[in-house]
Amino acid sequence: MPLPIEQYAVVGDCHTAALVGSNGSIDWLCLPRFDSPSMFGALLGTEDHGRWLLAPSDADATSERAYDADTLVLRTRWTTAGGEVEVVDVMPVGDRRADLIRRVRGIRGTVRMRQDLRVRFGYADALPWMRQLDDGDGVVAIAGPDAVVVRGAHLEAIDHAHAGEFDVAAGETRDLVLTWYPSHRDAPAPMDDDVRIEETTRWWRDWIGDADAGGRYRDAVRRSLLLLRALTHEDTGGIVAAATTSLPEEFGGPRNWDYRYVWLRDASLTLDALISRGFRDEAARWRGWLLRAIAGDPGDVQIMYGIAGERRLEERELPAFPGYDGASPVRVGNAAYRQYQGDVFGEVMLALQRAREAGAEESEFSWPLQRALMTYVEQNWRRPDQGIWEIRGEPQHFVQSRAMIWAAFDSAVRAVRRHGLDGPVERWEALRDEVRAEIEAHGVEPGRGCFVQHYGSSEVDASLLTLSAIGFVAPDDPRMLATVAAIESDLMVGGLVYRYRTETGVDGLPAGENPFLACSFWLVEQYAVSGRLDDAVALMDRLVALANDVGMLSEQIEPRTGRHAGNTPQALSHLALVRAAEAIGAARARS
């Protein structure tokens, strides 16, 4: 069975990513893109769904691991009765090849290493034809459009697996290299592994450079930025929400979704985070992806897209996979792409406003495109929606979505009033004020004086924590403080924040999930900006400590055990961490 989610680390080449377990098994890899069908899928089933194990033969071997500083080069130190070895896992970047290097370096004594290779293309639907290389030092696997060559050690066929052992003595190095290629082409020639590892290490360090990440949470912020870069596609600039699909939000439950796509919401928040940390070039590329994705008829704008802006993300189930620890169904594609979520218009307009304020110049179509979006918002702002959490129940007038509609109008007004762009500013101002009046009339619970999840409800929702961040209310507005108190009362368990009470049935799914990490980071931010700095630091310290041994966060946390839940590494969790750290730093500076 797969390991606990928190026992995986990620390596990637900014095209795709592999999950490497603490036991030395690569249990998830899709090639050549994040959203390609899996080749190693044991994460969602068993070893027979595909994996590549590389570890000492000694069953009593112990390990510890860490990334090289400021890189995604993973080093695992194995200790056995006979000696020590180090395994370096790295996916070279920048060469338009799909390679995975596993370097074994002898440190002390002699260690016998073993491999177990099970290639399963097409989400474990295609058992490949495999043959030995002419020199006997590896294998080629082919099925349909996919092929891989694995070089570096002899492997013998054992049932539907290929296995082998080899010794590594102190001072020796053995490189095992997997390369994907289209099956109608010849296998790529071997590369210079030393050069590619060195160049990749330098590339990561050059990218992070001296990024503004000082203060108490420097290491966590820099690791988060590196993981966000790893989730960003090198060519298109699209950032996937996570590297995985169908890791459960509730263990054993049906809340299993495919996150290997690009959400406008995450895109917008990423743009803001990159600008705030000085990554202007990346912010410009990300803005370019955003503008390309939403270009066309505003009525066709989706909440999410494929990595290159693909629009059709049809959802289907994969019954061949039993699911992570039995959580089913396993899904690929995501039906939420068809939903109407009003908040994304505010997210997009806010992100482009911040880019404008940071000095980004309007292109020939960027402001006309935003004007077209606002025309669509004018015509549709009264519609109920599925909300930020993509509910699969009946659409509602979610207060957070309504506030983001307000933010869209407010951003458009600012573009005209502050930056001299053209537009019907008086009409936008009138609509902005109308939205505010509606929210204040229908979105506040009279008894507690807090904002509510949706009109007609007395429930609260953690997404309401964003209302002060977008400027809808001041952080110390009595309604905002009452909302925080209600969230602390209704949605906090073990000091962590749930998104909402699933028991109400608002999302159309069976009740049950775990606290959502981004929501807890949003509470940190709200604490920091409202004068509760000690509370902000205490919660932030706890959240940062929940990251695994290599600094990765998934989507959710099981509060009783601290187990990670949901897809990983989760972009929104790391984005929220960066924002929370920034809020604490600013609060400390003020005090």
Side-chain angles (χ1 to χ4, degrees):
M1 296 300 295
L3 299 168
I5 294 169
E6 62 272 16
Q7 290 189 25
Y8 288 97
V10 68
V11 295
D13 62 359
C14 299
H15 289 262
T16 189
L19 290 193
V20 185
S22 59
N23 61 351
S25 181
I26 295 177
D27 287 346
W28 184 253
L29 177 60
C30 303
L31 289 168
R33 295 199 334 178
F34 296 103
D35 57 350
S36 298
S38 64
M39 183 183 75
F40 299 141
L43 182 69
L44 300 177
T46 71
E47 60 193 23
D48 286 326
H49 291 93
R51 65 117 178 234
W52 186 11
L53 174 71
L54 175 64
S57 299
D58 183 352
D60 295 323
T62 60
S63 66
E64 58 182 20
R65 62 186 181 172
Y67 288 115
D68 278 357
D70 289 338
T71 75
L72 238 68
V73 177
L74 181 69
R75 294 182 183 269
T76 303
R77 178 72 67 95
W78 290 96
T79 301
T80 72
E84 292 183 28
V85 295
E86 177 184 73
V87 176
V88 179
D89 287 305
V90 58
M91 295 189 75
V93 298
D95 60 359
R96 296 300 191 275
R97 286 175 50 134
D99 298 301
L100 173 56
I101 301 174
R102 311 198 76 179
R103 166 168 286 183
V104 186
R105 184 173 66 88
I107 298 172
R108 176 178 59 82
T110 298
V111 177
R112 170 147 290 203
M113 301 294 291
R114 69 185 180 97
Q115 287 192 83
D116 183 272
L117 176 69
R118 301 171 189 240
V119 178
R120 303 290 188 269
F121 292 120
Y123 296 120
D125 190 48
L127 188 68
W129 173 73
M130 301 189 71
R131 65 172 176 83
Q132 297 285 340
L133 291 177
D134 291 340
D135 62 4
D137 201 26
V139 294
V140 172
I142 297 176
D146 298 296
V148 294
V149 55
V150 181
R151 298 180 171 103
H154 183 69
L155 292 165
E156 290 285 348
I158 304 175
D159 293 328
H160 294 305
H162 279 71
E165 295 188 347
F166 57 90
D167 292 330
V168 178
E172 293 181 346
T173 297
R174 177 76 70 96
D175 287 346
L176 309 177
V177 182
L178 179 151
T179 302
W180 176 93
Y181 61 98
S183 61
H184 62 276
R185 297 179 181 172
D186 294 334
M191 58 187 171
D192 188 324
D193 302 335
D194 290 331
V195 170
R196 297 305 294 127
I197 292 174
E198 180 183 347
E199 289 177 346
T200 298
T201 300
R202 185 168 60 250
W203 186 91
W204 285 109
R205 288 176 176 162
D206 287 346
W207 182 83
I208 193 72
D210 57 355
D212 179 16
R216 183 184 187 118
Y217 306 107
R218 178 185 184 278
D219 291 345
V221 168
R222 289 174 72 87
R223 179 52 52 189
S224 292
L225 291 170
L226 287 162
L227 290 169
L228 289 169
R229 184 65 184 91
L231 294 171
T232 304
H233 194 266
E234 178 183 19
D235 294 331
T236 71
I239 179 171
V240 296
T244 57
T245 179
S246 298
L247 290 181
E249 296 174 3
E250 180 190 25
F251 297 112
R255 295 171 181 262
N256 316 311
W257 316 110
D258 194 345
Y259 276 17
R260 299 171 299 155
Y261 305 112
V262 189
W263 270 253
L264 290 187
R265 183 179 303 111
D266 291 11
S268 303
L269 293 170
T270 301
L271 182 60
D272 189 35
L274 292 173
I275 290 171
S276 70
R277 297 292 167 174
F279 293 100
R280 298 299 173 88
D281 291 343
E282 283 75 10
R285 293 180 66 247
W286 190 235
R287 177 174 175 266
W289 182 93
L290 185 61
L291 292 171
R292 292 193 305 274
I294 64 177
D297 184 347
D300 295 332
V301 169
Q302 299 178 182
I303 67 157
M304 57 189 287
Y305 296 86
I307 293 168
E310 296 90 347
R311 304 182 67 86
R312 296 185 64 85
L313 309 175
E314 300 294 345
E315 184 176 304
R316 60 190 176 96
E317 297 179 3
L318 300 178
F321 284 99
Y324 178 87
D325 203 13
S328 64
V330 168
R331 297 180 173 95
V332 295
N334 198 310
Y337 85 94
R338 296 179 179 272
Q339 291 184 353
Y340 170 72
Q341 295 176 20
D343 73 291
V344 299
F345 298 100
E347 299 284 7
V348 168
M349 293 298 292
L350 279 171
L352 295 176
Q353 171 190 308
R354 289 163 183 155
R356 189 180 300 119
E357 292 171 348
E361 295 183 1
E362 299 294 341
S363 69
E364 60 180 346
F365 72 95
S366 61
W367 177 242
L369 181 57
Q370 291 169 71
R371 281 201 58 173
L373 281 180
M374 292 311 302
T375 298
Y376 182 78
V377 173
E378 288 182 54
Q379 297 167 349
N380 289 273
W381 71 268
R382 291 179 175 84
R383 289 174 60 183
D385 73 336
Q386 267 79 26
I388 186 174
W389 305 128
E390 299 169 4
I391 67 160
R392 301 201 172 193
E394 289 298 315
Q396 304 286 346
H397 287 104
F398 288 101
V399 170
Q400 195 266 352
S401 292
R402 313 307 284 165
M404 294 306 297
I405 291 288
W406 172 91
F409 284 121
D410 188 61
S411 296
V413 168
R414 289 170 182 256
V416 176
R417 297 293 190 198
R418 295 186 180 183
H419 298 277
L421 298 171
D422 64 301
V425 66
E426 291 83 5
R427 186 166 75 240
W428 288 340
E429 287 173 331
L431 288 169
R432 178 191 63 183
D433 295 344
E434 186 177 349
V435 176
R436 173 179 286 281
E438 181 199 88
I439 294 171
E440 292 177 341
H442 303 290
V444 179
E445 206 275 318
R448 294 197 286 183
C450 62
F451 292 105
V452 294
Q453 183 181 45
H454 59 81
Y455 296 171
S457 170
S458 61
E459 296 285 327
V460 288
D461 188 302
S463 66
L464 297 167
L465 291 167
T466 65
L467 265 58
S468 62
I470 66 173
F472 182 77
V473 291
D476 58 355
D477 184 292
R479 296 166 298 180
M480 194 68 211
L481 298 181
T483 302
V484 171
I487 288 171
E488 291 171 327
S489 171
D490 298 358
L491 300 182
M492 286 191 79
V493 175
L496 300 173
V497 182
Y498 285 81
R499 297 186 295 177
Y500 52 88
R501 291 198 319 116
T502 58
E503 297 85 347
T504 66
V506 67
D507 58 17
L509 294 167
E513 66 168 6
N514 289 294
F516 201 82
L517 278 166
C519 297
S520 298
F521 284 116
W522 291 345
L523 184 57
V524 170
E525 187 175 350
Q526 168 62 25
Y527 281 159
V529 297
S530 63
R532 295 175 62 176
L533 182 56
D534 289 344
D535 290 333
V537 170
L539 181 54
M540 185 71 168
D541 286 349
R542 180 171 185 205
L543 294 172
V544 169
L546 291 171
N548 72 358
D549 57 326
V550 292
M552 272 173 50
L553 291 169
S554 63
E555 183 181 24
Q556 301 183 1
I557 292 290
E558 204 286 321
R560 182 175 53 85
T561 63
R563 284 188 65 185
H564 288 203
N567 287 303
T568 195
Q570 179 78 6
L572 189 57
S573 297
H574 287 284
L575 283 165
L577 183 155
V578 173
R579 284 183 58 101
E582 185 175 0
I584 288 175
R588 280 183 165 148
R590 288 194 301 271
S591 63

